[in-house]
Amino acid sequence: MSQPTNIFALLDQNGPFRVDDEPEGGRLFSPRSRRRLQELKKNGLVSKYRVIRNQIFELLGVRSFAGIQDLLDRPEQRPIVEKRAYMLLGNMFGLAGNEREVIARINSYSRIADGVINYLRARVLANYASYIEMTNEIDSTRSPVELLLILFDDRYHRKARFEAKRKLILMNLAGAIDQRERETEVEQKFLRFLGFLNDQVWSRQAKIGELEIVYLHSRHHPESFACQEVTVKRREELPSQPGPGEKITMIKRRCFPWRGREIPVYVSIRKKPPEAKVLKLLRKGEENPAVAVDDELGLMAVVDSPMEVKIFQQHLTASAGRAGSLMTLEDLSDTLNGEEYRSANPGSSARTAMYKFFARMGGMRVEFIVHTNESFLNYIYQRGVSHDEYEVKRIFDSGVARLLFPCDIYEIDIGEKKEALIRWFRSRIEEI
């Protein structure tokens, strides 16, 4: 990740906004302040510093760093400051409701911020969870005012103060995402999308939610672990134990009608959760969700053959027409025929095979990814392509791992653990 100049510059422990052993005191003519000013000028961040400083003063209702110290020394003032701060933040994010509802909504951003870190600890960085565990006091603090004051409180260790700052930044991103979702009515669109699928796309021969369980019995290349052969089987047709290089993958399929036939399809429908959207903003180095998050609604489908991929796309287009809307396909990418997958996203593999497009219909823009059984199994299992590896690579290659867990704070160079984590995920994939 290049030297950040936006909000992410505040997280960079190699930059002028780093958290030092002692909190910022605001003394204008101290050697430390002069060194910090030179760094700000060198990195083109003087204006950014002034904007952030003024925002902090406004939120806390003070005029100087001395006023912040006064708040630290007089905790009885904090309830008044907090009440005003919640009102200011609520208006900034366009929150409606009474005071209690606004406070609850802003506090929910705290849970999302914690969820981002907890997801990484439990999933991608699970092997190093003990190294990057959050300080208890920061984990339990929801108030933006309390988190801000911790930044300037010398009683707190540097790690705690860094985590308070990180949590505030993640909360700000969560608030921007929430505002965007309310403006674009994502929740309502997701329900409409589900209704469209049930009313127009899926077979009327089955009840809503009725699924058929089948198994993909596959054989994989000993070196690349790419799928070489796959057969759809029922439970009673499976071998008692898969052999070397074999995998058994359960999928639950529904059907869609096509010219008198019922074509089976495995479907995974998602509305990207706010924690995933925050991580996407971080990976792209972008503060604006409207720019960075273009896949809020998505569907992944798996069919038996490349021909059925095209049939499914045609069926979707016809279904949209029956629902009274034209469907247009945008950003279409078809790499099922062996062409390289071109993506600017860090960590993505050129060998990824899929049929991907965005469908604009009924006031929605939905991401569709359609696989054959073979490409779906490669998406799960193939070396260098599997989604587990991609999750690791994109967190590291984008610089997010080092940004959220800097070496000088956590006493581990998390950026050096990428290959070890990939090997661990590979062993789980190939040995289970």
Side-chain angles (χ1 to χ4, degrees):
M1 181 179 283
S2 59
Q3 185 75 16
T5 56
N6 52 19
I7 191 174
F8 307 115
L10 304 179
L11 274 176
D12 186 10
Q13 272 297 102
N14 296 317
F17 290 103
R18 64 186 173 274
V19 175
D20 290 327
D21 290 332
E22 296 180 358
E24 175 67 57
R27 293 187 294 275
L28 295 177
F29 303 110
S30 68
R32 178 184 175 190
S33 294
R34 286 195 293 268
R35 286 194 301 270
R36 187 65 59 95
L37 179 60
Q38 290 302 316
E39 287 184 71
L40 289 166
K41 287 180 178 178
K42 181 181 177 181
N43 291 282
L45 292 169
V46 174
S47 295
K48 186 70 175 177
Y49 170 80
R50 288 172 179 158
V51 168
I52 295 297
R53 181 194 61 193
N54 292 341
Q55 285 178 339
I56 291 172
F57 290 172
E58 181 63 33
L59 194 64
L60 296 178
V62 299
R63 294 187 175 184
S64 66
F65 287 102
I68 296 177
Q69 187 58 52
D70 187 54
L71 279 177
L72 290 171
D73 295 336
R74 300 172 62 188
E76 68 274 8
Q77 291 183 323
R78 293 187 193 180
I80 299 173
V81 173
E82 279 198 336
K83 183 175 181 178
R84 177 177 176 274
Y86 275 118
M87 180 197 69
L88 292 173
L89 291 169
N91 288 334
M92 183 179 77
F93 290 121
L95 297 177
N98 58 38
E99 182 181 335
R100 179 177 295 180
E101 291 169 334
V102 169
I103 291 173
R105 193 65 174 243
I106 292 172
N107 286 345
S108 74
Y109 303 157
S110 166
R111 289 190 291 275
I112 295 170
D114 292 339
V116 171
I117 303 303
N118 291 332
Y119 166 78
L120 293 173
R121 287 186 65 240
R123 173 67 180 165
V124 181
L125 304 175
N127 287 7
Y128 306 99
S130 61
Y131 288 90
I132 59 177
E133 186 175 4
M134 202 186 315
T135 305
N136 290 336
E137 288 77 4
I138 306 304
D139 192 9
S140 61
T141 301
R142 296 179 297 174
S143 163
V145 166
E146 289 296 329
L147 289 166
L148 257 182
L149 291 176
I150 285 171
L151 269 173
F152 300 94
D153 194 337
D154 194 33
R155 297 178 304 156
Y156 285 86
H157 186 267
R158 185 169 68 128
K159 176 178 178 289
R161 286 186 283 111
F162 170 81
E163 290 174 346
K165 179 178 71 171
R166 182 183 66 188
K167 188 166 182 174
L168 282 166
I169 291 170
L170 297 180
M171 286 176 68
N172 184 71
L173 295 177
I177 289 166
D178 178 52
Q179 181 180 359
R180 167 71 177 170
E181 288 188 345
R182 283 182 281 108
E183 290 172 349
T184 57
E185 300 181 326
V186 169
E187 197 70 38
Q188 295 89 327
K189 288 179 180 177
F190 183 65
L191 293 175
R192 290 206 331 258
F193 180 52
L194 290 178
F196 161 72
L197 293 173
N198 288 324
D199 294 341
Q200 303 294 340
V201 177
W202 308 137
S203 172
R204 297 291 182 89
Q205 303 301 315
K207 294 182 178 181
I208 293 175
E210 182 179 346
L211 303 171
E212 178 192 26
I213 297 176
V214 296
Y215 298 83
L216 303 180
H217 183 199
S218 54
R219 184 169 54 83
H220 297 261
H221 192 279
E223 293 182 4
S224 67
F225 222 72
C227 178
Q228 294 180 304
E229 182 183 355
V230 56
T231 308
V232 179
K233 294 183 177 180
R234 300 189 182 280
R235 186 180 185 88
E236 60 271 15
E237 299 172 323
L238 292 173
S240 57
Q241 191 71 26
E246 292 184 347
K247 301 291 285 187
I248 295 174
T249 308
M250 185 188 78
I251 58 174
K252 299 177 181 180
R253 305 201 293 187
R254 58 184 80 211
C255 291
F256 66 91
W258 182 256
R259 296 178 181 175
R261 293 193 291 144
E262 295 286 310
I263 297 179
V265 55
Y266 164 67
V267 177
S268 173
I269 303 168
R270 62 162 173 79
K271 180 173 78 73
K272 192 183 284 289
E275 292 83 0
K277 293 182 182 180
V278 170
L279 277 172
K280 187 161 189 175
L281 291 180
L282 290 169
R283 291 197 308 270
K284 294 202 168 189
E286 176 60 61
E287 299 175 60
N288 185 358
V291 175
V293 183
D294 59 354
D295 55 350
E296 293 171 327
L297 302 177
L299 177 149
M300 183 178 72
V302 182
V303 291
D304 286 337
S305 68
M307 176 60 70
E308 290 180 356
V309 170
K310 304 296 172 58
I311 289 174
F312 182 64
Q313 182 260 304
Q314 293 176 49
H315 176 62
L316 284 172
T317 303
S319 298
R322 286 194 300 273
S325 171
L326 181 68
M327 175 187 282
T328 61
L329 305 188
E330 302 171 351
D331 301 332
L332 177 65
S333 171
D334 182 4
T335 53
L336 291 173
N337 56 7
E339 292 184 14
E340 285 195 349
Y341 174 64
R342 292 179 174 84
S343 173
N345 295 329
S348 62
S349 170
R351 292 178 290 160
T352 301
M354 66 176 74
Y355 189 82
K356 178 180 177 180
F357 59 91
F358 285 87
R360 190 176 295 278
M361 58 175 180
M364 298 176 283
R365 189 173 189 264
V366 184
E367 181 189 49
F368 284 85
I369 296 175
V370 191
H371 282 289
T372 62
N373 292 332
E374 180 181 343
S375 70
F376 173 64
L377 292 171
N378 287 336
Y379 166 80
I380 301 175
Y381 301 126
Q382 186 178 356
R383 291 178 189 169
V385 173
S386 73
H387 189 262
D388 282 346
E389 291 177 71
Y390 174 51
E391 274 202 286
V392 174
K393 289 176 183 176
R394 65 184 181 178
I395 289 295
F396 283 86
D397 293 354
S398 63
V400 169
R402 277 198 167 114
L403 196 66
L404 295 178
F405 308 105
C407 179
D408 65 324
I409 296 291
Y410 292 94
E411 299 184 3
I412 179 175
D413 191 345
I414 203 73
E416 292 184 348
K417 305 303 179 182
K418 171 184 166 183
E419 296 304 323
L421 284 167
I422 289 175
R423 287 194 299 272
W424 182 73
F425 275 105
R426 287 301 328 162
S427 67
R428 290 184 62 197
I429 289 171
E430 296 181 24
E431 292 175 10
I432 295 177

